[in-house]
Amino acid sequence: MSLASVSRMEAKLLLPTYERQPVLFVRGRGVYLWDPEGKRYLDFLSGIGVNALGHNHPVIQATIKRQASRLIHISNLFFHEYQAELARLLTEISGLDRAFFCNSGTEAWEGALKLARAFAQANNKNGSKPKWRILAMNNSFHGRTFGALATTGQPKYRAPFVPLMPGVSFVKFNDVEELQRKFDSSVCAVCIETIQGEGGICPVDPEFLKLASRLTKESGALLVLDEIQSGLGRTGRHFAYQHYGVLPDIVTVAKPLACGLPLGAILTTERVATCFHPGMHGTTFGGGPLACAVAIEFLREEKKLLKHVRAVGEYFQGALKALDKKHKSIQDVRGAGLMLAMELDSAELAKAVARQLLQQGIIINRTHETVLRFLPPFIIQKKHVDQLIKALDAALHNHAETTKSESAKEEKTSSRGRKGNHAHA
Ligand SMILES: Cc1ncc(COP(=O)(O)O)c(C=O)c1O
């Protein structure tokens, strides 16, 4: 099948939810993907932070083959060998006590919101109205289901679907005073992406996160962190909150957990977990034997790669900052580990750069209009970073030259115009 025939059929048969890039991928290995003509692409996006071990990792491939030939699905009505072991590994690295497994990021987030409300009800001892308000952040992104949308602080995602779940107020991200002002005893949860991903790779300020932690602790509310994009090794630590010395009451993870098989998880403390009872929450598919067997192998590999992520991440960020000194169009470089961003001065430029790189066989992503987002596989090496930086440098240079010659042309035309006017005068 060709790109043309696939895209023609999709245009006719799918809901029009995606604006796909014009590439058909048929194969991947390590940090590379290939199209049907054999053109190779260097992957600096890893399926939006999912393929952390790269494509076709031999251990993951072997695990899928082995497990698929034994048992794929049994439902959560029975035991299988892998959920408890996966929960043990996740609780060990997170510092939390218990896990619930689901299928995606948004589903993990929905479960986390339910857990926060259920905890507030279970701990409402004096007969007054239980805590119910949720403080969420401007510019956040938590997914596409209704609870996730209700806590996503970006009108473009929410507006077409109102009315959403009630009880959510938004706080300006990293505005300590506003958090203090909007927080009161009716709040059951403060919800934060430790590093806002879709919103342009914006890390939470230490002061803001510490205040959220203190306020929730003091009032009996919960600190709920979304680490669906930033968690599980992406920043060079198991969780981004581990850079801050803060422990949340609930954390959600998903993306890289099962290396491309759908799997998400809610992790929480013993104290919070006790408010869930059989029947209050569940899923048919979540935490099946195939995905969990793969996730166990992922976590073994992730542990070995943390140091590498920190080293290559630092090198990568340093190289992006060197470009920042060179190109006026770069507004900012930020992020941690291998979750990095370069903010440009216009959406058109960001679009043009991403398009030019794709044509050259390098996959990056544009988010939040002006931000180039880099979420490469953890196995990326310095030589791959060098290749990307060279391509970015050239694309930004080309743009600067084009802009220069266009404004020179404009200047010429308008000065001719001015001369003309003089002649008339
Ligand atoms: C921080 C964050 N939360 C939630 C989600 C939603 O995850 P999913 O697309 O798996 O539902 C995403 C997806 O990009 C995300 O980045």
Side-chain angles (χ1 to χ4, degrees), residues 34-216:
W34 282 267
D35 74 6
E37 284 75 44
K39 180 172 172 181
R40 192 175 79 167
Y41 291 77
L42 176 59
D43 187 0
F44 264 84
L45 183 59
S46 55
I48 325 185
V50 169
N51 301 303
L53 303 184
H55 301 276
N56 232 329
H57 190 283
V59 171
I60 299 306
Q61 202 189 70
T63 307
I64 292 175
K65 277 189 188 153
R66 190 192 66 233
Q67 190 54 38
S69 69
R70 293 180 65 197
L71 189 65
I72 293 176
H73 175 77
I74 50 158
S75 88
N76 281 301
L77 299 178
F78 303 97
F79 293 98
H80 66 73
E81 300 163 78
Y82 308 107
Q83 268 200 31
E85 174 59 8
L86 180 56
R88 189 185 69 75
L89 294 171
L90 284 168
T91 52
E92 191 176 277
I93 62 172
S94 63
L96 294 165
D97 305 315
R98 285 180 182 262
F100 174 86
F101 294 106
C102 55
N103 306 282
S104 64
T106 201
E107 210 184 319
W109 191 249
E110 294 291 323
L113 297 175
K114 284 175 71 178
L115 195 50
R117 285 266 174 88
F119 178 78
Q121 284 199 24
N123 287 277
N124 182 42
K125 301 227 163 59
N126 58 11
S128 59
K129 188 174 174 184
K131 295 178 187 298
W132 80 99
R133 282 177 64 230
I134 291 170
L135 292 189
M137 300 299 129
N138 280 351
N139 198 47
S140 61
F141 182 83
H142 297 293
R144 309 291 192 150
T145 48
F146 265 100
L149 279 182
T151 46
T152 285
Q154 299 191 58
K156 68 177 177 190
Y157 292 117
R158 303 155 51 83
F161 307 106
V162 292
L164 302 174
M165 181 183 87
V168 182
S169 314
F170 288 96
V171 173
K172 197 169 167 210
F173 190 49
N174 285 332
D175 187 327
V176 171
E177 274 159 34
E178 192 166 310
L179 175 59
Q180 191 100 50
R181 192 158 22 90
K182 291 197 171 164
F183 189 92
D184 63 26
S185 62
S186 67
V187 170
C188 69
V190 176
C191 298
I192 301 174
E193 278 170 273
T194 318
I195 302 179
Q196 291 187 335
E198 194 277 343
I201 314 286
C202 306
V204 67
D205 286 346
E207 194 192 354
F208 188 84
L209 187 58
K210 284 190 178 132
L211 177 66
S213 175
R214 181 169 65 73
L215 290 174
T216 47

Side-chain angles (χ1 to χ4, degrees), residues 48-50 102 104-110 112 141-143 148 192-195 197 225-232 234 239 251-257 263-266 339 375:
I48 325 185
V50 169
C102 55
S104 64
T106 201
E107 210 184 319
W109 191 249
E110 294 291 323
F141 182 83
H142 297 293
I192 301 174
E193 278 170 273
T194 318
I195 302 179
L225 295 185
D226 181 341
E227 294 237 3
I228 287 161
Q229 196 167 138
S230 63
L232 302 178
R234 173 61 56 194
F239 293 88
V251 65
T252 52
V253 292
K255 287 186 182 283
L257 183 55
L263 184 65
I266 308 167
M339 183 173 184
L375 297 169

Side-chain angles (χ1 to χ4, degrees), residues 337-359:
L338 289 173
M339 183 173 184
L340 296 171
M342 173 183 269
E343 185 168 352
L344 300 178
D345 61 1
S346 80
E348 289 64 39
L349 176 59
K351 226 186 241 179
V353 171
R355 198 185 313 121
Q356 187 172 328
L357 263 63
L358 188 67
Q359 280 161 1

